[in-house]
Amino acid sequence: MDVSTIPPSAPSPGRRDGLTTLIVKALKVIVPLAISAGLVVWLFNKVDFHRVMDIIHQGVDYRYIFAMMAITVLSHVIRGVRWGLQLRAAGIPRIPVMAESVSIFGAYALNLVFPFLGEAWRCVYISRREGCKLSTVVGTDLGDRISDAVMILLLIGLTLVVARPSIDSFLDRYPLGETIDRITTGGELWIWLGATVILLAAADYLLRGTRTVKGINLSIRRIWDGFRVLFFMKGRGLYLVLTVAIWVCYYLEAYVCFFAFPFTRELVTDSGYFLGLVPGLVVFVFGSCSMGIPSNGGLGAWNIAVMFALSLFGISDSDGAAYSIVCWSFQALILIITGIYGAFYIMATRRRARREGITTAGIK
């Protein structure tokens, strides 16, 4: 075969694969940024920005904002300790509480840069620090997140019970609410879900020998193994207590900020809202659900969800936007601060380990 007949511009398979990988990586960065930017633009087109700035400059009691920041740090420390229980149950030696906390500090700081980047980083950090298999750590991380998903579902159920009038108002006032009500109460959704499950099971059985399906099944087994350890590990009771403590902290982050603004403080003093506990729950659950949208640290999605939740209790869009902007901004600030602290801690730990290694080698 005459090689001169091959078009010089024809890309090789390796070049095509490299280009595809580059495009995928670019999209992973561009899409979350675009979503965040689009939601922020929509937010500021919907509200009176000057009114928002007036509230931020004049109507905020920052003592409660700082209290929220302290609660955020506490929740991350508790989450680190809880993850440590899972890691030990998976056979990884006990890790200092500070290292467990730093793994969470770094994860949340990196999630501001790119969604879910922090989850990958903390698994790699623990795997390298302890010299254990990455797949083992990933399994515990997946179990950790499944625990969170279960808690969110339980909180949604609780919200549907205690905040039923507000949910009914949402269903009646907004076209989106009417659509959700029609879809969830009709039988079509459940028929489609059932058919989808049957098709996926059939495809898995028929294609079980292919590389792709084997990889998917392996991932599913790792997820299950990471979650299953919760039922058999030592300290199950403590794990449950820590899980509740984490989510109580998350709830308090939203509730404490109610005292920082005059318009949300009224929800606390109004006898019909049980000291503001019910509005706090609705705001917290709406905000938690919005974190499933791939944006940078929830920017845009969280703000809109919280603003919308507050509107169910008569809070204007501008007031709700001020609340969400201040809360998100200061929470992002504490994530950055703890992330920087975590970076210095890791560097100091590595330097100390190198010095100890040199000293030990000198003694030998």
Side-chain angles (χ1 to χ4, degrees):
M1 179 179 179
D2 187 359
V3 295
S4 63
T5 61
I6 301 176
S9 59
S12 65
R15 288 176 58 191
R16 287 198 299 268
D17 292 342
L19 180 60
T20 301
T21 302
L22 182 62
I23 292 173
V24 170
K25 289 182 178 180
L27 288 175
K28 286 181 178 180
V29 175
I30 293 171
V31 170
L33 286 174
I35 291 174
S36 298
L39 291 173
V40 169
V41 169
W42 181 90
L43 174 66
F44 283 110
N45 283 334
K46 186 175 178 60
V47 303
D48 182 351
F49 183 70
H50 295 292
R51 163 67 178 163
V52 171
M53 296 309 298
D54 287 341
I55 295 170
I56 293 174
H57 289 149
Q58 302 174 10
V60 182
D61 187 340
Y62 285 97
R63 294 177 300 172
Y64 295 101
I65 301 299
F66 293 139
M68 177 272 292
M69 296 169 75
I71 294 171
T72 299
V73 176
L74 177 62
S75 72
H76 292 172
V77 173
I78 297 173
R79 178 175 283 279
V81 173
R82 188 187 72 167
W83 194 34
L85 290 176
Q86 289 178 268
L87 293 170
R88 291 195 291 278
I92 299 172
R94 186 180 185 90
I95 302 171
V97 172
M98 184 53 67
E100 294 171 343
S101 302
V102 163
S103 71
I104 305 301
F105 294 162
Y108 276 83
L110 287 172
N111 282 341
L112 291 173
V113 179
F114 178 72
F116 311 118
L117 175 62
E119 302 305 313
W121 174 84
R122 71 165 173 160
C123 291
V124 173
Y125 166 63
I126 294 297
S127 175
R128 291 180 176 177
R129 187 185 191 280
E130 300 302 316
C132 55
K133 290 184 177 180
L134 180 61
S135 59
T136 301
V137 182
V138 170
T140 61
D141 178 58
L142 293 171
D144 182 87
R145 288 308 179 183
I146 291 174
S147 300
D148 291 337
V150 171
M151 285 299 300
I152 290 176
L153 291 175
L154 292 175
L155 288 168
I156 290 174
L158 177 62
T159 304
L160 291 174
V161 174
V162 302
R164 189 67 197 182
S166 299
I167 301 300
D168 288 340
S169 174
F170 161 62
L171 297 176
D172 293 337
R173 285 171 53 191
Y174 298 94
L176 176 62
E178 296 176 359
T179 302
I180 293 174
D181 185 42
R182 184 176 66 255
I183 291 174
T184 54
T185 56
E188 295 86 354
L189 172 64
W190 309 110
I191 292 174
W192 279 107
L193 286 176
T196 301
V197 170
I198 293 172
L199 288 173
L200 288 175
D204 180 76
Y205 178 78
L206 294 173
L207 303 174
R208 61 188 182 278
T210 63
R211 182 178 179 180
T212 300
V213 173
K214 284 181 178 179
I216 293 173
N217 288 336
L218 178 60
S219 299
I220 292 173
R221 282 196 298 271
R222 285 176 177 171
I223 292 173
W224 172 245
D225 289 341
F227 184 65
R228 185 181 60 177
V229 73
L230 302 178
F231 298 99
F232 304 103
M233 70 181 191
K234 293 181 180 179
R236 293 189 299 274
L238 179 58
Y239 185 91
L240 180 60
V241 170
L242 292 174
T243 299
V244 173
I246 290 169
W247 287 88
V248 168
C249 286
Y250 288 168
Y251 170 77
L252 289 176
E253 289 172 19
Y255 181 70
V256 166
C257 288
F258 275 13
F259 294 89
F261 302 85
F263 47 85
T264 48
R265 203 176 300 129
E266 293 176 1
L267 299 178
V268 179
T269 58
D270 192 319
S271 60
Y273 292 134
F274 301 98
L275 300 178
L277 297 175
V278 172
L281 179 63
V282 174
V283 169
F284 166 60
V285 169
F286 272 61
S288 298
C289 292
S290 73
M291 298 306 290
I293 298 174
S295 62
N296 298 80
L299 177 61
W302 187 87
N303 302 88
I304 292 172
V306 166
M307 184 180 74
F308 180 76
L310 288 171
S311 73
L312 300 179
F313 301 94
I315 304 297
S316 70
D317 288 342
S318 296
D319 290 346
Y323 173 94
S324 70
I325 290 170
V326 170
C327 292
W328 187 92
S329 299
F330 278 87
Q331 193 166 67
L333 175 62
I334 194 60
L335 296 184
I336 293 170
I337 292 172
T338 54
I340 293 172
Y341 167 80
F344 280 108
Y345 171 85
I346 292 171
M347 288 188 293
T349 302
R350 288 175 177 172
R351 282 199 299 267
R352 184 168 61 249
R354 285 196 296 267
R355 286 198 302 269
E356 292 175 355
I358 293 172
T359 303
T360 302
I363 294 173
K364 291 181 178 179

